[in-house]
Amino acid sequence: MSLALSLLILSQAAPALPPTEIVRPQVVQPLPGHLDAVPTFNSNSPELVGTEGILLSTFPGDGRADPSAHLNFPLSGRFDVFAHHIFRAESPDDAAPLYLGVILQNPGEQTVTVDVLEAASYLSQPDAPFISLPAYVDNASGDVYSGPGSRAMSDVLRGRRQAEFPAQIVIPPGEYRMLMNLPIPVEGLDPLVNGRSSLIRLRSDGVVYAASLALRSRSTPDGGDRPPSLEEWQSLLQTGTLSQPRDRVPTPPDQAPELPIIYGRVAGVSQGALWQARLTDSADSAELTIPAPGAVLSYGLSTLIGGRLGTGQVQTAPMLVRY
C-alpha cells in the first residue's frame, strides 16, 4: 500500500478534532502621528452601479434638476480623487460598457490650472484580478497586487501617472473639463461583471467643483460604441439624479459606537489622504526597542469606531460632506 493511500485511509477513519483556540497575547499601541487635512473626493457608493446618473457631486444644487444630488463643496489646492465602482450587465445582448466620468468645472472668472501629480486607474478584468497573496511578498518593482485598488495605490505611491491622464488640465472661466472618461467593459466576461478602481492626486491653483457620473456608451452610426462626450456629461450633471439603487444606509457617525454598527461605502468628501508616523519608544525618544524574544508589539492600521483593538484610537477619516 502506498504512503499516500495509507494517509488517505487514516484521514477518513480519524474523527474530526474540535476547533482549537490559540491565544497569543500582545501589546497593541495607538499609531503615532495623524491624518493630514487633504480633502479626498471619495466615490464608492453605490459600489454596484445600477442606473445611469450622478454618483457623487460637489457642485452647487441651485438650478439643477435634483438639488439633493449635489453637496456644494468647492475644492482647491491639494485634493485627491478616489473612485471604485462595479458594473454588471443583465445579458450578453446588453453588454455595452458603462463609462465612469469625473468632470471638473471652474466657477470663477480666472483660468484655473489643475496639476495631475499622480494617477492610476485599473479594471479588475483583465488589469488586476482579485487574488490572495502570501502574508509577505517582496514588491520592489511594483508588479505585485491583489486587485485594481491595490495596483492603483501601488502606482501612486511610486509617483506614477498613467498615460491616460494629462500632466495638467487648464480650465477657462466657467468651463468644464473631463478628468476621467473611462469604460468598465463586460463583453466576453463570464459572469458579465467588471470593476474599476482609480486614485488621482491633484493640485489646483483655484476653486473647482467635481462630480463622478455614470453613463452607458453611446452608439455610433456604424453600430459601434463611443465614449460619452463632454456635452453629454454636462447634460447629465444638469438634468440627472442620483444613480440608483444606493448602498445600505450606514449608522450615522454621531450614533456610533452603539451596536450594531453598519459601515457604509462612502459617497462624499473625507478629510485626510496621508498618515505619517514615526515609531519610537516615546514622544521624546528617537529609538524603538525591539521586543524580547517571545514578546510582540503591534500597531493598529485602519482602526474603526467599532474596532479600535483596545487602543482607543479611531483612524477613520472624518467626512466633510456626504449624502
Side-chain angles (χ1 to χ4, degrees):
M1 182 182 298
S2 69
L3 177 60
L5 182 57
S6 299
L7 292 174
L8 177 61
I9 293 173
L10 286 173
S11 66
Q12 292 174 340
L17 297 176
T20 302
E21 181 180 4
I22 299 174
V23 178
R24 186 180 185 185
Q26 60 178 293
V27 175
V28 183
Q29 293 190 359
L31 187 68
H34 57 83
L35 270 173
D36 62 20
V38 172
T40 298
F41 177 98
N42 198 325
S43 180
N44 187 211
S45 179
E47 182 187 28
L48 178 63
V49 179
T51 63
E52 294 184 331
I54 298 166
L55 303 170
L56 169 62
S57 169
T58 72
F59 282 75
D62 297 345
R64 302 185 191 276
D66 182 7
S68 66
H70 307 275
L71 298 177
N72 192 18
F73 189 86
L75 298 160
S76 63
R78 272 281 294 114
F79 67 96
D80 286 359
V81 169
F82 171 74
H84 166 74
H85 295 282
I86 295 171
F87 170 59
R88 180 177 61 210
E90 297 301 322
S91 71
D93 295 331
D94 187 32
L98 177 82
Y99 273 80
L100 292 181
V102 176
I103 193 170
L104 304 176
Q105 190 239 355
N106 171 12
E109 298 179 354
Q110 302 294 325
T111 296
V112 168
T113 299
V114 180
D115 295 321
V116 183
L117 306 177
E118 295 94 24
S121 182
Y122 288 105
L123 295 163
S124 54
Q125 301 291 337
D127 299 337
F130 290 101
I131 60 172
S132 297
L133 292 174
Y136 175 82
V137 181
D138 183 30
N139 193 23
S141 60
D143 55 1
V144 177
Y145 37 84
S146 59
S150 170
R151 188 173 185 183
M153 174 60 76
S154 177
D155 278 10
V156 167
L157 288 175
R158 287 172 166 80
R160 298 171 180 169
R161 185 184 67 249
Q162 284 180 335
E164 292 88 342
F165 297 91
Q168 284 188 336
I169 300 175
V170 178
I171 313 176
E175 294 194 14
Y176 297 76
R177 293 292 184 269
M178 297 305 298
L179 172 64
M180 189 173 83
N181 189 3
L182 296 174
I184 304 180
V186 296
E187 187 175 7
L189 299 179
D190 185 16
L192 295 168
V193 60
N194 208 350
R196 179 178 287 279
S197 294
S198 308
L199 181 61
I200 310 165
R201 285 178 171 171
L202 304 164
R203 182 175 55 237
S204 173
D205 65 2
V207 170
V208 296
Y209 289 105
S212 58
L213 311 164
L215 280 175
R216 300 293 293 272
S217 64
R218 278 18 199 174
S219 299
T220 60
D222 60 0
D225 295 316
R226 65 166 177 84
S229 66
L230 174 61
E231 292 73 21
E232 288 164 336
W233 288 118
Q234 287 182 239
S235 176
L236 174 63
L237 183 68
Q238 184 67 29
T239 64
T241 59
L242 284 175
S243 175
Q244 300 292 335
R246 309 302 283 185
D247 287 313
R248 190 179 182 190
V249 177
T251 300
D254 57 357
Q255 293 184 16
E258 297 179 5
L259 297 177
I261 297 175
I262 300 172
Y263 293 106
R265 293 191 172 273
V266 179
V269 180
S270 55
Q271 179 177 292
L274 178 70
W275 186 303
Q276 290 185 310
R278 182 178 177 85
L279 305 183
T280 60
D281 290 332
S282 63
D284 40 350
S285 171
E287 297 181 348
L288 177 67
T289 302
I290 301 301
V296 178
L297 172 63
S298 59
Y299 296 87
L301 293 177
S302 301
T303 54
L304 307 174
I305 195 167
R308 307 182 195 189
L309 304 178
T311 65
Q313 184 182 58
V314 177
Q315 298 170 353
T316 306
M319 299 302 299
L320 298 173
V321 288
R322 64 183 180 89
Y323 294 114

